[in-house]
Amino acid sequence: MKQRRFLVYLVAAMAATSVFAQSPSSKKPFSISALRLIGEKEIPHNLSYQGTTVGGLSSIDYDSKSGLYYLICDDRSAINPARYYTAKIFFTEKGVDSVTLLGVTNLLQPNGKTYPNAKEDPAHTPDPEAMRYDPLRKQFAWSSEGERIIRGKDTVLQNPFIHLITRDGRFRDSFPLPVNLRMQAIEMGPRQNGVLEGMSFSRNYRSLYVNVEEPLYEDGPRADLTDNQPWIRIYRFDVASKKNTAQYAYQLDPVVYPTTPPGAFMVNGVPDILSLDDRQLIVMERSFSTGRWPCTIKLYLTDLATAGDVRSNTSLRKHPPAKPLRKKLLLNMDDLGIYVDNVEGMTLGPVLPNGHRTLVLVSDNNFNLAEKTQMFVFEIIP
């Protein structure tokens, strides 16, 4: 695929400044006026690496000290044990040269063993979706979506979780989750496969933000082709105490395209979030419709300081939030004119020679031959 470079401008009141820069409590906000696509690189399908099959890459994080990228794999121990990969991505401001894998590490249970697959032990099979590195404590936080299967004797209710692990995959600790993240047999709490998808540490590593991909049952319906007010929650945790200190309401866009055939599977949700400073997050929305292989990926900028805490709100459907997160469109990847697959992860990358930061995205191919594992690199224009 030929690499093409595009300049996508954020429509904002003041060019070259943060869309929220005028807020009085802001302290040197991270500034984005545009994203320029540097290039894209594809990892071959079913690449074999150290006895594992590479695919299902659902998150990416960059450690500036080592220059390494960490990518969690959402294989539910079905192909190989649950794991993450270490890699380097080589690029310049003119294009992406290559992606090199440097290691693979198993995610371990608290008992020190690898995780079982669904045939061995469905109650303890993980669904890894997000992972971030904390260089201050030299540990990772990663999330599992859990499971919710309501089918007679085959009912499985496994709560999602957030674990802290060492760099060699050993369990250290976990975050107690709020009651509304517990799986239930009735239509309350999280939906199956729509739970803890995105994660980001604050820039000072004092807070950890995680989000549900789709609305909790009590918060509203799944996204549809029309605006039906599908609310999701972004959770803030204090890293030191591990307590949930805030919840924010964020409204999803409608699904972008109708399905073929009508009535088939479609989804719009949030696969990842990225903290930029002490108040701003980039929120990624991903829309997919059966009958159309590309996904529509939108990046929005939000300001936590302007939003209210909805921890006490037990139903965003019954009680719409008075101060939800505001969203400003940074990029719709449909506008790039290239094929974009199931993008699920993003991270701030290294600094270019001109002093601009980079944004790196990765797609999850679901181990499907028709889907691609893609790396996208953008220059952040202040």
Side-chain angles (χ1 to χ4, degrees):
M1 178 185 296
K2 292 183 179 179
Q3 294 175 352
R4 288 178 275 179
R5 288 178 286 176
F6 298 83
L7 193 60
V8 182
Y9 288 96
L10 171 66
V11 178
M14 296 178 63
T17 62
S18 163
V19 295
F20 303 109
Q22 293 180 313
S23 181
S25 62
S26 178
K27 298 179 180 180
K28 295 182 180 179
F30 194 103
S31 178
I32 305 178
S33 68
L35 294 171
R36 179 181 71 87
L37 179 63
I38 291 175
E40 176 262 347
K41 198 71 176 179
E42 185 178 336
I43 295 177
H45 178 74
N46 275 1
L47 176 68
S48 180
Y49 180 76
Q50 293 189 6
T52 70
T53 299
V54 179
L57 304 181
S58 292
S59 75
I60 184 169
D61 203 28
Y62 176 69
D63 176 22
S64 60
K65 185 176 182 179
S66 65
L68 297 176
Y69 293 85
Y70 303 108
L71 302 115
I72 204 167
C73 171
D74 70 1
D75 179 4
R76 304 189 67 188
S77 292
I79 301 173
N80 306 113
R83 59 200 179 278
Y84 78 85
Y85 292 94
T86 304
K88 282 205 170 184
I89 305 174
F90 298 93
F91 61 86
T92 68
E93 68 277 9
K94 296 181 180 179
V96 183
D97 179 65
S98 60
V99 179
T100 301
L101 296 178
L102 300 176
V104 58
T105 304
N106 288 332
L107 306 171
L108 301 179
Q109 300 180 78
N111 62 12
K113 298 180 180 180
T114 57
Y115 281 89
N117 60 42
K119 291 183 179 180
E120 296 168 334
D121 187 355
H124 294 91
T125 302
D127 188 359
E129 289 293 346
M131 186 174 77
R132 297 288 182 180
Y133 180 59
D134 177 352
L136 301 184
R137 301 168 181 86
K138 294 181 173 54
Q139 64 186 10
F140 292 98
W142 72 280
S143 67
S144 170
E145 289 197 282
E147 184 60 282
R148 183 183 185 275
I149 299 175
I150 310 300
R151 195 170 53 216
K153 294 182 180 179
D154 294 329
T155 293
V156 177
L157 293 174
Q158 180 193 154
N159 289 325
F161 62 71
I162 302 170
H163 282 181
L164 297 173
I165 59 171
T166 60
R167 285 199 270 191
D168 59 1
R170 290 180 292 110
F171 174 84
R172 273 188 174 175
D173 207 343
S174 62
F175 284 74
L177 298 186
V179 174
N180 61 9
L181 285 176
R182 294 177 185 172
M183 290 293 190
Q184 300 190 47
I186 60 174
E187 291 194 347
M188 288 286 290
R191 288 174 159 87
Q192 183 190 38
N193 201 39
V195 200
L196 300 182
E197 273 282 327
M199 172 185 293
S200 185
F201 282 108
S202 61
R203 303 318 296 169
N204 57 15
Y205 297 94
R206 294 176 183 173
S207 298
L208 179 68
Y209 300 99
V210 298
N211 68 276
V212 290
E213 179 185 6
E214 295 191 89
L216 304 177
Y217 278 108
E218 58 268 33
D219 284 342
R222 302 173 70 240
D224 206 332
L225 292 168
T226 58
D227 185 4
N228 58 353
Q229 295 191 329
W231 295 102
I232 69 161
R233 295 182 187 235
I234 296 176
Y235 297 76
R236 186 183 71 200
F237 290 86
D238 176 74
V239 174
S241 67
K242 300 179 179 60
K243 293 181 179 179
N244 175 217
T245 54
Q247 296 176 25
Y248 305 98
Y250 177 93
Q251 186 172 331
L252 298 169
D253 286 357
V255 176
V256 177
Y257 294 97
T259 63
T260 304
F265 175 76
M266 63 181 178
V267 65
N268 186 50
V270 173
D272 206 6
I273 54 178
L274 180 63
S275 176
L276 298 177
D277 48 36
D278 63 349
R279 55 186 297 167
Q280 295 182 107
L281 293 177
I282 295 179
V283 178
M284 176 189 292
E285 293 194 35
R286 173 199 51 198
S287 177
F288 170 79
S289 299
T290 299
R292 185 180 184 274
W293 281 112
C295 292
T296 295
I297 306 298
K298 297 179 184 178
L299 301 182
Y300 285 100
L301 191 62
T302 65
D303 185 357
L304 298 172
T306 66
D309 183 359
V310 296
R311 278 179 296 173
S312 62
N313 189 334
T314 57
S315 173
L316 299 177
R317 179 191 345 221
K318 293 180 181 178
H319 310 288
K323 296 176 66 177
L325 283 164
R326 297 184 300 167
K327 48 198 277 191
K328 296 287 185 179
L329 183 65
L330 283 173
L331 172 67
N332 182 342
M333 292 183 73
D334 283 358
D335 296 336
L336 299 177
I338 61 175
Y339 180 85
V340 178
D341 215 306
N342 180 37
V343 178
E344 289 201 355
M346 60 181 164
T347 185
L348 291 174
V351 178
L352 296 171
N354 63 6
H356 294 174
R357 291 297 301 266
T358 53
L359 182 70
V360 183
L361 278 58
V362 67
S363 71
D364 172 4
N365 71 346
N366 292 307
F367 297 97
N368 187 328
L369 183 59
E371 298 180 55
K372 297 180 179 182
T373 300
Q374 297 173 290
M375 298 282 186
F376 298 92
V377 180
F378 293 87
E379 176 186 2
I380 297 174
I381 311 298

